[in-house]
């Protein structure tokens, strides 16, 4: 049993009670201050929102519309002068009824000055008959080279030019691959391509094999540029 006097115990209990009451009071005071701050802040924001000026809406007059003149489609007239120009080329797709895909494509054409006379000449790329389907009395077709006389008239100079090759032609690219000042030709086709060197004087020599650009006989090259 404790020998402490009763008065001392009472004093300690009273002191503990005072400490508990003090802490509770301080906490209550902090809570009240926080609540007051929240209420004050909310009131300030509400008053500020209510006092914000309302946007003014002004009606603007629509500017007068301008009446612009309607565009007129120009009239373009073309006259077929193929026959008068001396061009008689006819493309042959070699169709015989099986409706093969290459038959749906036309041959390419090139405007180029093969003799450097200042007038653009014409080369038409032709296809030909499929093997085993050459009609009786017909010959395999070739490309067609036309020389421009500078007056709008063309002459077929294919014979003897070296371009009488019969192949299933597709496209053609023109360029001076050896920088000799003469434009050379690269023909694409079904079954391999063909490179022709311009020898001058309207003559071309095939250089496909030496240049190694023929491709496989199973290849199908389409356009060229």
């Amino acid at each position: 049993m404790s020998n402490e006097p009763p008065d001392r115990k009472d004093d300690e209990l009273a002191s503990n009670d005072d400490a508990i009451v003090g802490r509770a009071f301080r906490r209550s005071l902090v809570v009240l201050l926080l609540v007051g701050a929240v209420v004050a802040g909310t009131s300030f924001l509400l008053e500020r929102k209510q006092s914000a000026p309302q946007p003014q809406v002004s009606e603007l007059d629509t500017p007068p519309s301008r009446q612009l003149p309607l565009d007129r489609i120009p009239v373009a007239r073309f006259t077929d002068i193929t026959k008068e120009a001396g061009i008689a080329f006819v493309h042959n797709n070699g169709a015989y009824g099986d409706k093969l895909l290459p038959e749906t494509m036309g041959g390419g054409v090139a405007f180029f000055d093969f003799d450097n006379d200042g007038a653009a000449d014409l080369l038409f790329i032709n296809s030909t008959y499929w093997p085993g389907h050459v009609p009786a009395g017909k010959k395999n077709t070739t490309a067609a080279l036309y020389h421009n006389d500078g007056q709008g008239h063309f002459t077929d100079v294919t014979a003897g030019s070296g371009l009488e090759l019969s192949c299933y032609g597709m496209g053609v690219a023109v360029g001076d691959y050896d920088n000799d000042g003469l434009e050379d030709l690269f023909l694409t086709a079904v079954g391999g391509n063909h490179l022709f060197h311009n020898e001058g004087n309207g003559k071309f020599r095939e250089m496909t094999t030496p240049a190694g650009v023929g491709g496989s006989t199973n290849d199908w090259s389409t356009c060229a540029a």
Side-chain angles (χ1 to χ4, degrees):
M1 296 181 61
S2 175
N3 295 323
E4 293 182 3
D7 293 340
R8 186 174 180 180
K9 289 183 178 180
D10 292 340
D11 292 341
E12 290 179 356
L13 291 173
S15 178
N16 290 336
D17 291 341
D18 291 341
I20 293 172
V21 171
R23 285 196 297 271
F25 176 76
R26 287 193 295 273
R27 290 176 181 173
S28 299
L29 183 60
V30 170
V31 171
L32 289 174
L33 290 174
L34 290 175
V35 171
V38 171
V39 171
T42 303
S43 300
F44 174 76
L45 292 176
L46 290 175
E47 290 179 0
R48 184 177 180 183
K49 185 175 182 181
Q50 292 176 356
S51 61
Q54 296 297 320
Q56 299 295 322
V57 179
S58 301
E59 294 185 1
L60 299 177
D61 294 333
T62 303
S65 60
R66 296 175 56 193
Q67 296 296 328
L68 299 177
L70 297 177
D71 289 336
R72 298 181 60 185
I73 300 176
V75 177
R77 300 186 182 278
F78 295 88
T79 302
D80 187 349
I81 58 170
T82 307
K83 185 176 180 180
E84 291 80 355
I87 298 173
F89 172 79
V90 177
H91 181 261
N92 172 31
N93 67 1
Y96 61 91
D98 276 2
K99 298 182 179 180
L100 303 176
L101 187 57
E103 298 169 0
T104 65
M105 305 178 66
V109 61
F111 263 112
F112 76 118
D113 185 7
F114 72 80
D115 57 354
N116 287 336
D117 64 353
D121 308 301
L122 274 172
L123 175 69
F124 293 95
I125 303 303
N126 209 347
S127 301
T128 190
Y129 298 106
W130 296 103
H133 294 279
V134 181
K138 296 289 186 179
K139 295 182 179 180
N140 282 322
T141 48
T142 70
L145 179 65
Y146 282 84
H147 179 259
N148 185 352
D149 65 1
Q151 303 298 320
H153 189 271
F154 293 83
T155 302
D156 189 340
V157 294
T158 309
S161 67
L163 297 175
E164 306 97 318
L165 172 72
S166 180
C167 66
Y168 206 97
M170 288 278 117
V172 57
V174 178
D176 181 9
Y177 74 82
D178 59 350
N179 290 325
D180 64 353
L182 298 172
E183 293 183 310
D184 310 301
L185 300 170
F186 183 73
L187 278 63
T188 57
V190 176
N193 305 314
H194 302 274
L195 176 66
F196 288 92
H197 180 260
N198 190 341
E199 303 283 295
N201 298 319
K203 306 294 183 182
F204 291 83
R205 179 162 56 100
E206 183 163 6
M207 298 294 293
T208 308
T209 300
V213 294
S216 170
T217 55
N218 295 321
D219 290 343
W220 172 21
S221 300
T222 53
C223 60

